[in-house]
Amino acid sequence: MFPLGETRCAAELVLPIATFVLVLSTVRAVALLYPESRWTPYATAAFLCVFPAALSQSRIYLFEWPFAASVAATCWAMLATDRFTNFPRSLVFGIAAGITALVRAGGPALLTGPCLVYAAVALREAPRGRKALNLGIAAAAGVAVAATWYLPNLTTFLEYIHQVTYGDQASLFAGGSSAFSWDNALYTFQWYWVDGAGIPAAALMLAAYATACAMERRWILSARMGALFVAFAIVFVAVIAVAQRAGGVLLLAIMGIQSLAVVRAVAIVPRPAARGGFALAAALLAIHHLYAMTFGFAVGRDRSEGTGPFPTFPLWNHRNLYVGVAGPARQEKALGEWMSQIVDRIEALPVAKETIDRPVQVCFNADNPIFQLHTLRIEATLRHHNWHGIQLFWLPLEAARKRQAELQERVLLMDVLVNRTTKPPSEYDKVVAIITGPLVEGASRRFTQVGEPVRFPNGDEYTIYQRIPDSSSPSKPR
Amino acid sequence: MRVPNPASLRFAVLFSLAASAILAVLWQSAAAREGSRGQPLTWDSAGFFADALVIKRCIEGDGLRGFWHAWVHVSPTTPRSCRRSPHS
C-alpha cells in the first residue's frame, strides 16, 4: 500500500500474491511427499485452485486465502527440514508457523495435525536428540512470533471464541448451544467436500481407488496417505471444537489434502486407459467449477441448510460469495457516496474533536453489508480522522435483554451513536433498540439526536446521536 | 529453447506465476459480472481494509513504535465488533 497508494486495488493485490504462494508451496510440498511422481504436485495444486471455496476466497478481500497460502508455505517449510535434521530450515519452519498463527486467529489449530504427525514420524528414527532439539527451537521461535499478538489479546480472543461457540452467540454462529457436537461434525465434513472438490469428485475418488484395488487384486494402503488422513482428522477435531458454522471454508487451508487424495486415487490406477478416463473426468469436474464460478450462475444454498447428509445433500456449492454477502445492496448505484454524508455530520459535532491520544468513539449499529461500521471507518481514516468504532453484535433477543446493562455500559463510553432502522425492523434492529433505546429516549437519556436521520436509497434511515456532556439534566434534541 | 524439468524450482515458479495470472484474469471477469467492482467493500472485507489504512497511518505517524502499537491493538484477527473500547 505504501508504493501503490491507499486504494482498494493496492490492498487486494494480496490475493494474487497469496495464490502464487499457495500454488508454489503446494507444488513443492507435494513434490517432497511424492518425489517419484512428476505430475502429482502440479495436478494437486491445479485441482485445489478450482475448488469453489478456493475460487470464492481468492476473489474477496478476507484473510482465508492468505491464510491458506501461509499454511501451505509452512507445510512446505516443515517437509523441507528433512525430518528436523536441518537446523536452519527447522528455524525457518518455526518462524513460518508463528506467522501463520498470526494470519488468522485460531490459525495454530490448522497446523496441529500436520505438525504433530510429521514430528511423530520424524522422531521414530535416529538421531532423535538432534531432531527433538531442532523441533524444540522451531516451536519456541513459532511461539515467540505468535506471542506478539496472542499474549496482549488473549483474553479478548478467548472471550470471542467462547461467545460464538459456547456462549450467547453460539446459537447464531455454531448452530446450537455448543460447537463441539455430532451435528456440527457432520455439517463440517459435508461442507468440507461440498465447498471443496464436490461430491461427484469424492465419488470419482472412491471409484478410482476401488478400480485400482480391483486391478491390483489387493488393498492399496499408502503410509503417506494414511499419515495425511491422521493429520486431517486431528485438524478436523480441533476445528470442530472452536469453530463457527461457515461451510467448509474454515478447512480451506487443509483442502490440499483433499485435492491430493483425489489426484493420488487416480494416479494409482494401473491401466493407462482407465487412469486416463478418471483423469479426464476429474479435469472436467475442475473446469466445470471454474466455469460456474466465473461465467455461470450463482447457484448454491444457504449454509444453514443441508446439515444432515440426506436428503438435502448438495453436490457442490457454487454460491457466489460476494452476491451472497452483499445481497440486494449490490444492485444500487454509487452507494459509497452516502457514507460521506454521515461522516460529514459527525465531523461537525462538538464531541467529535479527537486528539492523538483520544480517538473519537463511534458506535455504529447497522447490519447492512455495505453501510456499516467498517465503511464508516474507511471514510474517516481516508479523511485522516482518529476514530475508534464499535458495533453491537448480533444476539438473540432474549440474550440482548439479559445483557442490556452490560452492553449499555459499553455504549456509554461512546461520543457518537449511529443507529440504522429499517421498515419493518430487522431482528438486529430490535437488539439495538433494546440496548440503546433507553439511552436515546426519555428523561434519563444520555445521547441526543442530531438533526434529521439520513435516508438511504434503499429506504433505511440512519439516526445520529451525540453524547450529552455530563450534566444533571439532559439537553433537548436539536 | 529448453523446457525446464518439472521437478525443478524454476518450473514450479513458472507454473505458479501462470496459475496466479490466469486466476486473476478470471477473478476480474467475475467481479465485473457480479457487480463487486462498482460497490464499496462489504462487512469484514471493509474492516480489513480500514485496519490496513489505520496500520499505515500508525507507521507513518510513529515509525516502528507506531507499527508495534498497531500490530497489537489494531491487527484485525479478532472481529472488531467484540473488541472492547481501549477506554474500557
Side-chain angles (χ1 to χ4, degrees), chain A residues 61-63 325 369 372 374, chain B residues 41-49 51 79:
Chain A
Y61 186 63
L62 295 173
F63 51 46
V325 169
Q372 32 92 17
H374 301 306
Chain B
L41 293 166
T42 55
W43 284 134
D44 288 2
S45 301
F48 294 137
F49 185 44
D51 287 328

Side-chain angles (χ1 to χ4, degrees), chain A residues 165-199:
Chain A
T165 49
Y166 300 95
D168 283 340
Q169 289 181 291
S171 60
L172 296 176
F173 291 99
S177 59
S178 165
F180 197 74
S181 64
W182 178 247
D183 192 39
N184 256 7
L186 273 180
Y187 167 88
T188 305
F189 189 73
Q190 172 188 336
W191 281 96
Y192 176 64
W193 278 96
V194 172
D195 273 349
I199 302 304

Side-chain angles (χ1 to χ4, degrees), chain B residues 46-58:
Chain B
F48 294 137
F49 185 44
D51 287 328
L53 290 172
V54 172
I55 290 171
K56 182 171 179 279
R57 291 275 187 275
C58 290

Side-chain angles (χ1 to χ4, degrees), chain A residues 6 42 105 320 332 377, chain B residues 6 33-34 39 51 57 77:
Chain A
E6 295 174 347
Y42 294 97
N320 180 310
E332 294 164 21
R377 291 178 56 232
Chain B
R33 284 172 60 88
E34 75 196 11
Q39 296 296 3
D51 287 328
R57 291 275 187 275
T77 319

Side-chain angles (χ1 to χ4, degrees), chain A residues 170-471:
Chain A
S171 60
L172 296 176
F173 291 99
S177 59
S178 165
F180 197 74
S181 64
W182 178 247
D183 192 39
N184 256 7
L186 273 180
Y187 167 88
T188 305
F189 189 73
Q190 172 188 336
W191 281 96
Y192 176 64
W193 278 96
V194 172
D195 273 349
I199 302 304
L204 182 136
M205 176 186 74
L206 294 175
Y209 179 71
T211 305
C213 291
M215 286 177 175
E216 294 276 354
R217 293 170 186 259
R218 65 182 177 90
W219 288 108
I220 302 171
L221 298 171
S222 154
R224 286 172 291 192
M225 197 49 77
L228 286 169
F229 286 158
V230 173
F232 168 77
I234 294 170
V235 172
F236 186 77
V237 172
V239 166
I240 294 287
V242 294
Q244 308 162 28
R245 284 194 171 195
V249 76
L250 293 175
L251 292 169
L252 173 63
I254 53 158
M255 279 189 183
I257 295 176
Q258 187 183 124
S259 179
L260 181 60
V262 175
V263 169
R264 288 308 299 166
V266 172
I268 59 172
V269 175
R271 284 186 200 156
R275 190 168 61 240
F278 282 119
L280 179 66
L284 288 174
L285 284 172
I287 291 167
H288 135 268
H289 285 316
L290 196 63
Y291 177 81
M293 297 290 287
T294 306
F295 307 107
F297 31 88
V299 296
R301 306 168 60 90
D302 185 322
R303 287 209 166 99
S304 60
E305 296 175 36
T307 51
F310 299 104
T312 55
F313 204 110
L315 293 178
W316 43 61
N317 174 32
H318 290 150
R319 194 175 75 147
N320 180 310
L321 187 60
Y322 176 77
V323 174
V325 169
R330 73 190 178 95
Q331 306 293 352
E332 294 164 21
K333 300 291 179 193
L335 291 175
E337 293 169 11
W338 287 82
M339 189 53 84
S340 301
Q341 293 189 29
I342 292 181
V343 176
D344 288 345
R345 292 254 201 118
I346 297 176
E347 272 179 340
L349 297 177
V351 295
K353 299 292 175 246
E354 73 262 45
T355 65
I356 289 172
D357 296 327
R358 191 191 180 285
V360 171
Q361 305 291 319
V362 182
C363 181
F364 193 100
N365 301 313
D367 66 346
N368 183 295
I370 291 176
F371 302 120
Q372 32 92 17
L373 170 68
H374 301 306
T375 330
L376 176 97
R377 291 178 56 232
I378 291 172
E379 182 69 25
T381 310
L382 287 173
R383 295 191 192 188
H384 291 264
H385 286 307
N386 182 19
W387 291 5
H388 179 270
I390 67 162
Q391 176 176 354
L392 292 172
F393 38 73
W394 287 259
L395 283 171
L397 293 179
E398 198 48 47
R401 288 189 194 100
K402 201 171 74 183
R403 298 180 61 181
Q404 186 192 40
E406 172 208 339
L407 293 168
Q408 279 181 346
E409 270 180 39
R410 216 175 281 192
V411 176
L412 283 171
L413 296 166
M414 300 292 117
D415 300 309
V416 179
L417 176 63
V418 183
N419 284 351
R420 190 280 308 263
T421 46
T422 53
K423 288 176 188 165
S426 68
E427 286 299 294
Y428 178 74
D429 289 346
K430 291 175 190 169
V431 169
V432 172
I434 288 170
I435 295 160
T436 67
L439 304 178
V440 299
E441 291 164 2
S444 58
R445 67 181 181 274
R446 307 293 292 274
F447 289 85
T448 182
Q449 186 175 332
V450 179
E452 289 300 308
V454 179
R455 286 187 178 80
F456 275 43
N458 61 359
D460 292 359
E461 291 186 350
Y462 287 70
T463 310
I464 302 171
Y465 303 90
Q466 65 173 327
R467 183 171 43 78
I468 298 171
D470 288 338
S471 61

Side-chain angles (χ1 to χ4, degrees), chain B:
Chain B
M1 194 178 103
R2 278 184 63 196
V3 178
N5 180 356
S8 69
L9 180 62
R10 189 173 157 221
F11 190 91
V13 169
L14 289 174
F15 175 82
S16 307
L17 280 174
S20 310
I22 291 167
L23 288 173
V25 169
L26 293 173
W27 164 34
Q28 290 307 309
S29 169
R33 284 172 60 88
E34 75 196 11
S36 64
R37 272 276 153 256
Q39 296 296 3
L41 293 166
T42 55
W43 284 134
D44 288 2
S45 301
F48 294 137
F49 185 44
D51 287 328
L53 290 172
V54 172
I55 290 171
K56 182 171 179 279
R57 291 275 187 275
C58 290
I59 296 170
E60 285 169 345
D62 223 0
L64 204 58
R65 209 173 129 226
F67 173 71
W68 179 255
H69 173 84
W71 179 257
V72 172
H73 297 292
V74 184
S75 189
T77 319
T78 303
R80 296 187 62 89
S81 53
C82 81
R83 301 183 82 191
R84 287 181 188 282
S85 157
H87 299 287
S88 61

